[in-house]
Amino acid sequence: DQQVKQNSPSLSVQEGRISILNCDYTNSMFDYFLWYKKYPAEGPTFLISISSIKDKNEDGRFTVFLNKSAKHLSLHIVPSQPGDSAVYFCAATPGGANNLFFGTGTRLTVIP
Amino acid sequence: NAGVTQTPKFQVLKTGQSMTLQCAQDMNHEYMSWYRQDPGMGLRLIHYSVGAGITDQGEVPNGYNVSRSTTEDFPLRLLSAAPSQTSVYFCASFHLSRGRNTEAFFGQGTRLTVV
C-alpha cells in the first residue's frame, strides 16, 4: 500500500517556465516531508524539506508547499533549467520515527 | 569527502547464489538503511539500523539479512538470490538530530541482476 503517491510519472516544461511536481500522502502521522532529485546512475540527493508546522519553505529556485488538510505537497521550480531534468522523489516520515517513505517519482524534462 | 560508498556498482548472480552488498559511510551517522528501487515502485525500505548493534526490518525485508557491527558499515546480504531480487539497491545514512532524521545521503547504487 503506497503511503506516498506521485501520480504523474513524467512532466515536460520549457526552460524558464515553472515546474510543479505534486505529491499526495495518506498517513496522517507523517510530519516531515522531503524532496530528492535523482540523475541516472546516481543516488538520490536531498533537495528541500518541510516540517508539518510550516506550509511553505523556499530555497533559491525551489519552493515546497504543504497542504496538511489535503495531505498534499508540491515542489515548484522557478525558473526551470535544463540541468533540472531528473527524477524527483517525494518522501515523508512519521513523527518520532526515522524511516522515509518514498513516492514512485516524477521524471522532469526541461526543454531548452 | 567520500560520504556513502557502495560496492559493487554492478553484479550479476545466478539464482541461489549468495552475495554481500557493501555500504560504508564516513560521516559518523547513527542511522543507516538499505532501499531497493524498482520501476513504478519508488524506493522501498529493506532494513535499517539506528546504531551499531541495532537493526530492524523495513517494508520488504524477506530474502535479505543485515548487521551493524560498526557505525561506519552496514552490509546487506542475499543468502539465496532470486530473480525477484533483480533491482537497484541504495544505501543511505542519516544524522539523527533530536531523535529525528535529517537529510539522507545516498550511495551511488548497486545494480543487481539475478538470472
Side-chain angles (χ1 to χ4, degrees):
Chain A
D1 182 29
Q2 196 78 22
Q3 298 185 60
V4 179
K5 300 177 183 179
Q6 294 176 257
N7 292 320
S8 298
S10 63
L11 174 68
S12 290
V13 171
Q14 288 289 132
E15 181 179 4
R17 305 294 292 268
I18 184 171
S19 296
I20 300 176
L21 294 90
N22 293 304
C23 177
D24 297 293
Y25 61 96
T26 58
N27 189 339
S28 57
M29 298 299 291
F30 288 150
D31 70 344
Y32 192 68
F33 305 88
L34 308 93
W35 284 94
Y36 284 84
K37 178 178 178 180
K38 185 183 179 303
Y39 293 117
E42 294 185 11
T45 55
F46 171 76
L47 192 57
I48 192 169
S49 63
I50 187 167
S51 165
S52 61
I53 62 173
K54 297 184 176 180
D55 54 18
K56 177 182 173 182
N57 189 27
E58 285 182 85
D59 185 1
R61 296 186 296 114
F62 302 92
T63 303
V64 56
F65 295 91
L66 176 62
N67 182 336
K68 289 186 290 294
S69 61
K71 293 192 178 67
H72 176 83
L73 64 157
S74 60
L75 174 68
H76 293 211
I77 306 173
V78 183
S80 301
Q81 298 174 354
D84 297 328
S85 296
V87 176
Y88 289 79
F89 289 99
C90 170
T93 182
N98 303 294
N99 295 334
L100 284 178
F101 293 84
F102 283 86
T104 52
T106 297
R107 181 178 302 278
L108 173 67
T109 302
V110 180
I111 304 163
Chain B
N1 52 349
V4 179
T5 303
Q6 282 183 243
T7 55
K9 288 193 170 137
F10 302 95
Q11 183 71 49
V12 178
L13 286 180
K14 293 183 179 177
T15 297
Q17 284 186 314
S18 63
M19 79 160 294
T20 299
L21 281 63
Q22 301 291 345
C23 176
Q25 53 95 4
D26 61 359
M27 297 170 282
N28 202 32
H29 286 168
E30 305 92 332
Y31 185 102
M32 296 185 73
S33 55
W34 278 100
Y35 289 86
R36 58 178 288 174
Q37 183 191 9
D38 301 294
M41 302 291 289
L43 286 91
R44 292 182 294 167
L45 182 66
I46 304 172
H47 284 284
Y48 66 97
S49 168
V50 298
I54 306 168
T55 64
D56 207 344
Q57 297 181 350
E59 299 172 73
V60 288
N62 293 340
Y64 307 96
N65 281 346
V66 291
S67 60
R68 184 97 179 269
S69 55
T70 67
T71 300
E72 294 78 20
D73 300 298
F74 191 45
L76 178 72
R77 296 185 186 85
L78 285 73
L79 295 179
S80 179
S84 60
Q85 294 178 304
T86 293
S87 187
V88 181
Y89 291 84
F90 290 100
C91 178
S93 74
F94 304 69
H95 171 61
L96 293 174
S97 174
R98 293 192 294 273
R100 295 297 313 259
N101 57 10
T102 55
E103 61 175 278
F105 292 82
F106 283 82
Q108 292 209 320
T110 297
R111 184 173 294 275
L112 175 68
T113 302
V114 183
V115 298

